[in-house]
Amino acid sequence: PTGGLFLTGGIPPKLLQSYPELLLGRDSPFQRAFGDKGRLSPLLKTIPVFLVKTNDLGIRGARVVALKDLKRHQRKNAL
């Protein structure tokens, strides 16, 4: 459950470009707000946060799912 938080989509890279101080650093406003959750704070502060800069993440995920489905279909028809 602590593999990380991945910020994706079009807004985080734009924020990073225009206002890097909002996202970068352990003491950034985002990190403080993310970690300031009462009794869950100790756990949340151990979770790494990643900013995904690619714009085609959804397409990449769809490709992975499609390939898995294709392989499953091929194995099913091979029997």
Side-chain angles (χ1 to χ4, degrees):
T2 60
L5 171 67
F6 292 83
L7 302 176
T8 64
I11 295 175
K14 290 176 186 170
L15 279 175
L16 181 64
Q17 185 177 13
S18 300
Y19 307 102
E21 66 279 2
L22 292 178
L23 296 175
L24 297 178
R26 300 294 287 151
D27 198 38
S28 71
F30 173 81
Q31 289 285 5
R32 285 195 312 267
F34 178 70
D36 187 19
K37 301 294 183 249
R39 62 188 174 125
L40 290 178
S41 292
L43 172 64
L44 292 175
K45 289 179 181 178
T46 67
I47 297 175
V49 177
F50 302 97
L51 176 67
V52 180
K53 294 182 181 179
T54 184
N55 291 329
D56 64 346
L57 192 61
I59 297 295
R60 291 179 186 198
R63 179 181 179 272
V64 169
V65 171
L67 287 173
K68 286 180 181 180
D69 284 349
L70 177 63
K71 288 178 183 179
R72 186 173 46 239
H73 180 73
Q74 289 172 338
R75 281 193 308 269
K76 179 181 167 186
N77 288 339
L79 297 177

